[in-house]
Amino acid sequence: MHVPDGFIDLPVSAATGVVAAAAVAVSLRGARRELDERTAPLAGLVAAFVFAVQMLNFPVAAGTSGHLLGGALAAILVGPYTGVLCISVVLLMQGILFADGGLTALGVNITDMAVVTTVVAYALFRGLVRILPRTRRSVTVASFAAALLSVPAAALAFTALYAIGGTSDVPLGRTLAAMVGVHLVIGIGEAAITAFTVGAVIAVRPDLVYGARGLTAPLKLRVGGELVDAAPASAPAAPGPARSARRVWAAGLVTALVLAGFVSFYASADPDGLERVAADQGIDKKTERHHTADSPLADYGVKDISDARISGGLAGVIGVGATVAVGSGVFWAVRRRRTATAGASVPPETA
């Protein structure tokens, strides 16, 4: 789904750049409300994990592969505003370091892969958890459905952008059918990865899952034959121990490093959904050479290392490290800004 330079003309690319910048600005403000001492460290890890899993292309049809987009996963784990920032950080790292996704198309990619997927997925997710039983299993089921729908929604958004600013004359009806069709199949893989990951975190630390907050029924005690709350309704649930949170973070980082550094070597080499449709429909006729094609990490390999396994694995490890560092820095700054703002709003005590 990474759109390269040359697919969309400059006016539409510039317009989506403005939309993406506005979305990021709004998300920076919204993330202040979502990030706390539990989710701030997790957000950088989520970005790194999405980066790692996006390297794992899985086959979906003859000669076509797919990979995680991650908008649904990020939104459910750390919140929709923070989720937009997570995917934006991933796209920025991929475009600058690995020549994946055009730089003039960065606005297109953020709008499509970060904003559309996150908004669609989280809106459906919240709607489902309101009507499903208030259980952890319901969160997992809602995660599956939200992730499944988010991928063809992104394909539909790309087709709409191409209808406005596409650089090649192609039959849009046929392109729309091909894009939505193949990405609906890819969405099944996205849904499975999202549901499995959300379910795994819920099983260990449900308080770390943003989308699961408020779903746990309060403890009841029987007093005089009647059930009453064991604690005031306003009392927040006690978070798990800090050591447990550090273990979750460490386990997630190790998993991301293993996926990017080792498992990615066995990923499908077939073109992904957008690349396949672009080649079949002629969308890629005016593709431009990437501005960072000469990067030492271009195409997810380390320059001058001839062994493909070592080159790709090392590039993946570097990418995970860079993403978790940049992402953690962004979310730490947002969290610090929230703390500073909250402190400034507290009136001084009077004598």
PDB file of all heavy atoms in Angstrom, residues 246-270:
ATOM      1  N   ARG A 246       7.445  -3.419  32.332  1.00  0.00           N
ATOM      2  CA  ARG A 246       8.772  -3.474  31.706  1.00  0.00           C
ATOM      3  C   ARG A 246       8.994  -4.802  31.003  1.00  0.00           C
ATOM      4  O   ARG A 246       9.624  -4.859  29.945  1.00  0.00           O
ATOM      5  CB  ARG A 246       9.853  -3.233  32.752  1.00  0.00           C
ATOM      6  CG  ARG A 246       9.936  -1.789  33.242  1.00  0.00           C
ATOM      7  CD  ARG A 246      11.239  -1.547  33.975  1.00  0.00           C
ATOM      8  NE  ARG A 246      11.317  -2.326  35.211  1.00  0.00           N
ATOM      9  CZ  ARG A 246      10.919  -1.878  36.389  1.00  0.00           C
ATOM     10  NH1 ARG A 246      10.393  -0.651  36.489  1.00  0.00           N
ATOM     11  NH2 ARG A 246      11.029  -2.631  37.466  1.00  0.00           N
ATOM     12  N   ARG A 247       8.456  -5.867  31.582  1.00  0.00           N
ATOM     13  CA  ARG A 247       8.587  -7.171  30.938  1.00  0.00           C
ATOM     14  C   ARG A 247       7.813  -7.223  29.635  1.00  0.00           C
ATOM     15  O   ARG A 247       8.275  -7.795  28.637  1.00  0.00           O
ATOM     16  CB  ARG A 247       8.093  -8.266  31.887  1.00  0.00           C
ATOM     17  CG  ARG A 247       9.042  -8.545  33.055  1.00  0.00           C
ATOM     18  CD  ARG A 247       8.453  -9.588  33.997  1.00  0.00           C
ATOM     19  NE  ARG A 247       9.362  -9.884  35.096  1.00  0.00           N
ATOM     20  CZ  ARG A 247       9.057 -10.656  36.121  1.00  0.00           C
ATOM     21  NH1 ARG A 247       7.843 -11.205  36.201  1.00  0.00           N
ATOM     22  NH2 ARG A 247       9.947 -10.890  37.079  1.00  0.00           N
ATOM     23  N   VAL A 248       6.625  -6.642  29.622  1.00  0.00           N
ATOM     24  CA  VAL A 248       5.841  -6.592  28.389  1.00  0.00           C
ATOM     25  C   VAL A 248       6.589  -5.802  27.329  1.00  0.00           C
ATOM     26  O   VAL A 248       6.674  -6.216  26.158  1.00  0.00           O
ATOM     27  CB  VAL A 248       4.457  -5.967  28.654  1.00  0.00           C
ATOM     28  CG1 VAL A 248       3.718  -5.709  27.344  1.00  0.00           C
ATOM     29  CG2 VAL A 248       3.626  -6.869  29.554  1.00  0.00           C
ATOM     30  N   TRP A 249       7.164  -4.675  27.724  1.00  0.00           N
ATOM     31  CA  TRP A 249       7.907  -3.835  26.783  1.00  0.00           C
ATOM     32  C   TRP A 249       9.119  -4.595  26.242  1.00  0.00           C
ATOM     33  O   TRP A 249       9.372  -4.603  25.028  1.00  0.00           O
ATOM     34  CB  TRP A 249       8.359  -2.549  27.474  1.00  0.00           C
ATOM     35  CG  TRP A 249       8.855  -1.494  26.536  1.00  0.00           C
ATOM     36  CD1 TRP A 249       8.130  -0.481  25.976  1.00  0.00           C
ATOM     37  CD2 TRP A 249      10.187  -1.342  26.036  1.00  0.00           C
ATOM     38  NE1 TRP A 249       8.935   0.292  25.160  1.00  0.00           N
ATOM     39  CE2 TRP A 249      10.192  -0.215  25.181  1.00  0.00           C
ATOM     40  CE3 TRP A 249      11.371  -2.048  26.230  1.00  0.00           C
ATOM     41  CZ2 TRP A 249      11.341   0.220  24.524  1.00  0.00           C
ATOM     42  CZ3 TRP A 249      12.522  -1.628  25.565  1.00  0.00           C
ATOM     43  CH2 TRP A 249      12.500  -0.502  24.729  1.00  0.00           C
ATOM     44  N   ALA A 250       9.868  -5.241  27.123  1.00  0.00           N
ATOM     45  CA  ALA A 250      11.060  -5.973  26.702  1.00  0.00           C
ATOM     46  C   ALA A 250      10.693  -7.139  25.783  1.00  0.00           C
ATOM     47  O   ALA A 250      11.345  -7.379  24.756  1.00  0.00           O
ATOM     48  CB  ALA A 250      11.826  -6.482  27.924  1.00  0.00           C
ATOM     49  N   ALA A 251       9.618  -7.852  26.148  1.00  0.00           N
ATOM     50  CA  ALA A 251       9.178  -8.972  25.309  1.00  0.00           C
ATOM     51  C   ALA A 251       8.740  -8.486  23.934  1.00  0.00           C
ATOM     52  O   ALA A 251       9.042  -9.110  22.905  1.00  0.00           O
ATOM     53  CB  ALA A 251       8.039  -9.714  25.990  1.00  0.00           C
ATOM     54  N   GLY A 252       8.046  -7.341  23.890  1.00  0.00           N
ATOM     55  CA  GLY A 252       7.616  -6.789  22.612  1.00  0.00           C
ATOM     56  C   GLY A 252       8.787  -6.359  21.749  1.00  0.00           C
ATOM     57  O   GLY A 252       8.800  -6.591  20.533  1.00  0.00           O
ATOM     58  N   LEU A 253       9.786  -5.756  22.372  1.00  0.00           N
ATOM     59  CA  LEU A 253      10.964  -5.308  21.613  1.00  0.00           C
ATOM     60  C   LEU A 253      11.734  -6.500  21.067  1.00  0.00           C
ATOM     61  O   LEU A 253      12.155  -6.495  19.898  1.00  0.00           O
ATOM     62  CB  LEU A 253      11.863  -4.445  22.499  1.00  0.00           C
ATOM     63  CG  LEU A 253      13.128  -3.900  21.823  1.00  0.00           C
ATOM     64  CD1 LEU A 253      12.766  -3.029  20.628  1.00  0.00           C
ATOM     65  CD2 LEU A 253      13.973  -3.120  22.816  1.00  0.00           C
ATOM     66  N   VAL A 254      11.925  -7.521  21.891  1.00  0.00           N
ATOM     67  CA  VAL A 254      12.626  -8.716  21.423  1.00  0.00           C
ATOM     68  C   VAL A 254      11.861  -9.360  20.273  1.00  0.00           C
ATOM     69  O   VAL A 254      12.454  -9.790  19.261  1.00  0.00           O
ATOM     70  CB  VAL A 254      12.817  -9.720  22.582  1.00  0.00           C
ATOM     71  CG1 VAL A 254      13.314 -11.065  22.049  1.00  0.00           C
ATOM     72  CG2 VAL A 254      13.802  -9.163  23.610  1.00  0.00           C
ATOM     73  N   THR A 255      10.539  -9.422  20.386  1.00  0.00           N
ATOM     74  CA  THR A 255       9.720  -9.993  19.318  1.00  0.00           C
ATOM     75  C   THR A 255       9.885  -9.207  18.019  1.00  0.00           C
ATOM     76  O   THR A 255      10.045  -9.793  16.938  1.00  0.00           O
ATOM     77  CB  THR A 255       8.238 -10.013  19.731  1.00  0.00           C
ATOM     78  OG1 THR A 255       8.085 -10.778  20.925  1.00  0.00           O
ATOM     79  CG2 THR A 255       7.379 -10.602  18.630  1.00  0.00           C
ATOM     80  N   ALA A 256       9.865  -7.880  18.112  1.00  0.00           N
ATOM     81  CA  ALA A 256      10.032  -7.043  16.922  1.00  0.00           C
ATOM     82  C   ALA A 256      11.403  -7.258  16.281  1.00  0.00           C
ATOM     83  O   ALA A 256      11.527  -7.342  15.054  1.00  0.00           O
ATOM     84  CB  ALA A 256       9.843  -5.571  17.284  1.00  0.00           C
ATOM     85  N   LEU A 257      12.427  -7.359  17.106  1.00  0.00           N
ATOM     86  CA  LEU A 257      13.780  -7.567  16.582  1.00  0.00           C
ATOM     87  C   LEU A 257      13.910  -8.924  15.894  1.00  0.00           C
ATOM     88  O   LEU A 257      14.534  -9.040  14.834  1.00  0.00           O
ATOM     89  CB  LEU A 257      14.801  -7.454  17.716  1.00  0.00           C
ATOM     90  CG  LEU A 257      15.013  -6.044  18.286  1.00  0.00           C
ATOM     91  CD1 LEU A 257      15.874  -6.099  19.541  1.00  0.00           C
ATOM     92  CD2 LEU A 257      15.656  -5.128  17.242  1.00  0.00           C
ATOM     93  N   VAL A 258      13.308  -9.951  16.487  1.00  0.00           N
ATOM     94  CA  VAL A 258      13.360 -11.287  15.881  1.00  0.00           C
ATOM     95  C   VAL A 258      12.593 -11.309  14.564  1.00  0.00           C
ATOM     96  O   VAL A 258      13.058 -11.872  13.556  1.00  0.00           O
ATOM     97  CB  VAL A 258      12.795 -12.343  16.860  1.00  0.00           C
ATOM     98  CG1 VAL A 258      12.626 -13.687  16.153  1.00  0.00           C
ATOM     99  CG2 VAL A 258      13.714 -12.496  18.062  1.00  0.00           C
ATOM    100  N   LEU A 259      11.412 -10.683  14.545  1.00  0.00           N
ATOM    101  CA  LEU A 259      10.612 -10.659  13.322  1.00  0.00           C
ATOM    102  C   LEU A 259      11.343  -9.930  12.196  1.00  0.00           C
ATOM    103  O   LEU A 259      11.398 -10.410  11.054  1.00  0.00           O
ATOM    104  CB  LEU A 259       9.263  -9.995  13.587  1.00  0.00           C
ATOM    105  CG  LEU A 259       8.293 -10.751  14.498  1.00  0.00           C
ATOM    106  CD1 LEU A 259       7.050  -9.907  14.749  1.00  0.00           C
ATOM    107  CD2 LEU A 259       7.916 -12.094  13.897  1.00  0.00           C
ATOM    108  N   ALA A 260      11.895  -8.752  12.509  1.00  0.00           N
ATOM    109  CA  ALA A 260      12.568  -7.950  11.481  1.00  0.00           C
ATOM    110  C   ALA A 260      13.939  -8.509  11.122  1.00  0.00           C
ATOM    111  O   ALA A 260      14.358  -8.446   9.963  1.00  0.00           O
ATOM    112  CB  ALA A 260      12.702  -6.506  11.958  1.00  0.00           C
ATOM    113  N   GLY A 261      14.636  -9.038  12.113  1.00  0.00           N
ATOM    114  CA  GLY A 261      16.006  -9.468  11.873  1.00  0.00           C
ATOM    115  C   GLY A 261      16.146 -10.890  11.374  1.00  0.00           C
ATOM    116  O   GLY A 261      17.171 -11.242  10.774  1.00  0.00           O
ATOM    117  N   PHE A 262      15.158 -11.728  11.601  1.00  0.00           N
ATOM    118  CA  PHE A 262      15.275 -13.138  11.212  1.00  0.00           C
ATOM    119  C   PHE A 262      14.093 -13.624  10.383  1.00  0.00           C
ATOM    120  O   PHE A 262      14.261 -14.104   9.265  1.00  0.00           O
ATOM    121  CB  PHE A 262      15.426 -14.005  12.471  1.00  0.00           C
ATOM    122  CG  PHE A 262      15.467 -15.479  12.190  1.00  0.00           C
ATOM    123  CD1 PHE A 262      16.584 -16.053  11.596  1.00  0.00           C
ATOM    124  CD2 PHE A 262      14.376 -16.289  12.491  1.00  0.00           C
ATOM    125  CE1 PHE A 262      16.619 -17.410  11.309  1.00  0.00           C
ATOM    126  CE2 PHE A 262      14.403 -17.644  12.220  1.00  0.00           C
ATOM    127  CZ  PHE A 262      15.533 -18.208  11.631  1.00  0.00           C
ATOM    128  N   VAL A 263      12.881 -13.485  10.913  1.00  0.00           N
ATOM    129  CA  VAL A 263      11.708 -14.036  10.237  1.00  0.00           C
ATOM    130  C   VAL A 263      11.463 -13.356   8.892  1.00  0.00           C
ATOM    131  O   VAL A 263      10.974 -13.987   7.942  1.00  0.00           O
ATOM    132  CB  VAL A 263      10.460 -13.909  11.145  1.00  0.00           C
ATOM    133  CG1 VAL A 263       9.226 -14.491  10.458  1.00  0.00           C
ATOM    134  CG2 VAL A 263      10.702 -14.621  12.471  1.00  0.00           C
ATOM    135  N   SER A 264      11.827 -12.074   8.776  1.00  0.00           N
ATOM    136  CA  SER A 264      11.583 -11.338   7.532  1.00  0.00           C
ATOM    137  C   SER A 264      12.276 -11.960   6.328  1.00  0.00           C
ATOM    138  O   SER A 264      11.847 -11.756   5.186  1.00  0.00           O
ATOM    139  CB  SER A 264      12.033  -9.881   7.699  1.00  0.00           C
ATOM    140  OG  SER A 264      13.425  -9.808   7.942  1.00  0.00           O
ATOM    141  N   PHE A 265      13.355 -12.725   6.563  1.00  0.00           N
ATOM    142  CA  PHE A 265      14.058 -13.362   5.448  1.00  0.00           C
ATOM    143  C   PHE A 265      13.153 -14.353   4.726  1.00  0.00           C
ATOM    144  O   PHE A 265      13.323 -14.610   3.533  1.00  0.00           O
ATOM    145  CB  PHE A 265      15.313 -14.073   5.954  1.00  0.00           C
ATOM    146  CG  PHE A 265      16.110 -14.741   4.874  1.00  0.00           C
ATOM    147  CD1 PHE A 265      16.927 -13.997   4.032  1.00  0.00           C
ATOM    148  CD2 PHE A 265      16.022 -16.112   4.671  1.00  0.00           C
ATOM    149  CE1 PHE A 265      17.650 -14.615   3.013  1.00  0.00           C
ATOM    150  CE2 PHE A 265      16.747 -16.735   3.653  1.00  0.00           C
ATOM    151  CZ  PHE A 265      17.569 -15.984   2.827  1.00  0.00           C
ATOM    152  N   TYR A 266      12.170 -14.895   5.435  1.00  0.00           N
ATOM    153  CA  TYR A 266      11.287 -15.908   4.863  1.00  0.00           C
ATOM    154  C   TYR A 266       9.975 -15.314   4.367  1.00  0.00           C
ATOM    155  O   TYR A 266       9.052 -16.061   3.997  1.00  0.00           O
ATOM    156  CB  TYR A 266      11.008 -16.986   5.913  1.00  0.00           C
ATOM    157  CG  TYR A 266      12.269 -17.660   6.393  1.00  0.00           C
ATOM    158  CD1 TYR A 266      12.887 -17.249   7.573  1.00  0.00           C
ATOM    159  CD2 TYR A 266      12.863 -18.680   5.655  1.00  0.00           C
ATOM    160  CE1 TYR A 266      14.057 -17.849   8.010  1.00  0.00           C
ATOM    161  CE2 TYR A 266      14.029 -19.280   6.087  1.00  0.00           C
ATOM    162  CZ  TYR A 266      14.628 -18.870   7.269  1.00  0.00           C
ATOM    163  OH  TYR A 266      15.789 -19.459   7.689  1.00  0.00           O
ATOM    164  N   ALA A 267       9.862 -13.992   4.359  1.00  0.00           N
ATOM    165  CA  ALA A 267       8.642 -13.339   3.886  1.00  0.00           C
ATOM    166  C   ALA A 267       8.500 -13.516   2.374  1.00  0.00           C
ATOM    167  O   ALA A 267       9.477 -13.751   1.654  1.00  0.00           O
ATOM    168  CB  ALA A 267       8.657 -11.859   4.248  1.00  0.00           C
ATOM    169  N   SER A 268       7.280 -13.383   1.893  1.00  0.00           N
ATOM    170  CA  SER A 268       7.024 -13.513   0.464  1.00  0.00           C
ATOM    171  C   SER A 268       7.717 -12.394  -0.308  1.00  0.00           C
ATOM    172  O   SER A 268       7.701 -11.227   0.108  1.00  0.00           O
ATOM    173  CB  SER A 268       5.514 -13.469   0.195  1.00  0.00           C
ATOM    174  OG  SER A 268       5.258 -13.441  -1.201  1.00  0.00           O
ATOM    175  N   ALA A 269       8.327 -12.754  -1.426  1.00  0.00           N
ATOM    176  CA  ALA A 269       8.986 -11.769  -2.285  1.00  0.00           C
ATOM    177  C   ALA A 269       8.068 -11.264  -3.389  1.00  0.00           C
ATOM    178  O   ALA A 269       8.476 -10.423  -4.199  1.00  0.00           O
ATOM    179  CB  ALA A 269      10.246 -12.374  -2.893  1.00  0.00           C
ATOM    180  N   ASP A 270       6.836 -11.747  -3.423  1.00  0.00           N
ATOM    181  CA  ASP A 270       5.894 -11.309  -4.459  1.00  0.00           C
ATOM    182  C   ASP A 270       5.491  -9.858  -4.220  1.00  0.00           C
ATOM    183  O   ASP A 270       5.497  -9.378  -3.078  1.00  0.00           O
ATOM    184  CB  ASP A 270       4.642 -12.182  -4.438  1.00  0.00           C
ATOM    185  CG  ASP A 270       4.918 -13.604  -4.911  1.00  0.00           C
ATOM    186  OD1 ASP A 270       5.839 -13.775  -5.727  1.00  0.00           O
ATOM    187  OD2 ASP A 270       4.216 -14.526  -4.455  1.00  0.00           O
TER     188      ASP A 270
END
